Amino acid sequence: MNLTLRIWRQKGPEDKGRMVTYQVPDVSPDMSFLEMLDVLNERLILDGEEPVAFDHDCREGICGMCSLMINGEAHGPQRGTTACQLHMRQFKDGDTIDIEPWRARAFPVVKDLVVNRNAFDKIIAAGGYITAPTGSAPEAHSVPVPKADADAAFESAACIGCGACVAACPNGSGMLFTAAKLTQLSLLPQGQPERYTRVIGMVEAHDEAGFGGCTNIGECTASCPKGIPLNTIGRLNRDFLKATSKRAGTPGS
């Protein structure tokens, strides 16, 4: 395939960026999207030009490093797929593809398509540690956990922290990420001792980092490559209301 790429180029956080057009010929439909960018960068280097900076690591859809808006969609047109697992067979010969970084106040651009996602680290750090004793793995049935809770906790634990939920949200909210990291602990016995202090700390860190508020639009879960459901945010909200009631000393909380 012969493709036209319009890529966001920005030298640094303080520089003004712009869309730059590149022609990429002979693209195999069996290439991944990142392999196609590799081909472009090899050509740019041979021509003495600066290659396009973009985040990547495992290229297996599990690390959360790849972060591209492709034609206005987080990770591209294929649902449940990260940009590194997106293949060029999703596009047609002659297509023009716009490639941009995540757009969010909490994710400032570092260079080109690379953004700083340290705000997620601050949310995780605000959650602290669990005080449940650890050590060798316990016998599987020593702590009974209802099947529905175990499934929901595992579903939330699948979050890879890529930030697609933030990029897709018109408010730039990170609530789906925050809720996933909370839910994987709040549904299990090991997460109960710090359950309510954890939710307050992580929500406050979320707001302080500059993320927007959640208005239940649902773009976050639609763009999530791991399919984290929207009701995960509902669990966060219930825990947050209980936690703030307990902190305020509301009777019956």
Side-chain angles (χ1 to χ4, degrees), residues 179-216:
K181 297 306 179 185
L182 281 163
T183 299
Q184 68 187 64
L185 291 173
S186 66
L187 289 174
L188 300 177
Q190 296 90 335
Q192 298 312 305
E194 295 81 25
R195 179 173 181 172
Y196 296 112
T197 56
R198 182 184 300 115
V199 68
I200 289 176
M202 292 180 74
V203 170
E204 288 179 348
H206 169 279
D207 295 345
E208 289 170 2
F211 292 102
C214 173
T215 51
N216 291 315

Side-chain angles (χ1 to χ4, degrees), residues 43-239:
R43 196 189 77 192
L44 292 176
I45 292 170
L46 290 173
D47 291 343
E49 299 181 44
E50 184 77 14
V52 177
F54 62 93
D55 268 329
H56 62 97
D57 191 1
C58 74
R59 301 202 178 198
E60 295 179 352
I62 56 176
C63 73
M65 283 298 293
C66 53
S67 51
L68 302 175
M69 291 295 288
I70 302 170
N71 286 340
E73 296 183 89
H75 289 303
Q78 188 174 3
R79 289 287 180 92
T81 304
T82 55
C84 63
Q85 291 289 290
L86 178 69
H87 284 77
M88 299 310 298
R89 63 181 70 97
Q90 297 293 324
F91 303 93
K92 300 190 296 290
D93 181 42
D95 277 355
T96 296
I97 306 173
D98 289 345
I99 309 171
E100 302 173 82
W102 287 165
R103 302 291 191 184
R105 177 182 171 188
F107 291 161
V109 174
V110 176
K111 183 179 181 181
D112 295 339
L113 304 174
V114 179
V115 297
N116 185 339
R117 285 173 281 183
N118 283 348
F120 272 0
D121 296 331
K122 293 177 181 178
I123 294 173
I124 294 295
Y129 298 91
I130 63 170
T131 55
T134 58
S136 59
E139 201 279 324
H141 299 293
S142 61
V143 181
V145 179
K147 180 69 163 57
D149 289 347
D151 288 346
F154 188 82
E155 185 176 53
S156 295
C159 170
I160 57 176
C162 64
C165 52
V166 179
C169 177
N171 305 325
S173 174
M175 272 299 173
L176 189 67
F177 166 82
T178 307
K181 297 306 179 185
L182 281 163
T183 299
Q184 68 187 64
L185 291 173
S186 66
L187 289 174
L188 300 177
Q190 296 90 335
Q192 298 312 305
E194 295 81 25
R195 179 173 181 172
Y196 296 112
T197 56
R198 182 184 300 115
V199 68
I200 289 176
M202 292 180 74
V203 170
E204 288 179 348
H206 169 279
D207 295 345
E208 289 170 2
F211 292 102
C214 173
T215 51
N216 291 315
I217 293 173
E219 287 293 328
C220 54
T221 191
S223 66
C224 176
K226 299 303 176 182
I228 308 298
L230 195 61
N231 64 8
T232 309
I233 298 177
R235 290 193 180 96
L236 178 151
N237 289 335
R238 287 193 293 272
D239 275 6

Side-chain angles (χ1 to χ4, degrees), residues 24-27 31 34-44:
V24 184
D26 300 325
V27 175
M31 284 182 178
L34 298 192
E35 287 172 337
M36 182 271 297
L37 290 179
D38 289 337
V39 169
L40 170 64
N41 277 343
E42 288 174 1
R43 196 189 77 192
L44 292 176

Side-chain angles (χ1 to χ4, degrees), residues 200 241-251 253:
I200 289 176
L241 286 173
K242 288 180 182 178
T244 51
S245 296
K246 289 176 181 292
R247 187 166 65 174
T250 302
S253 62

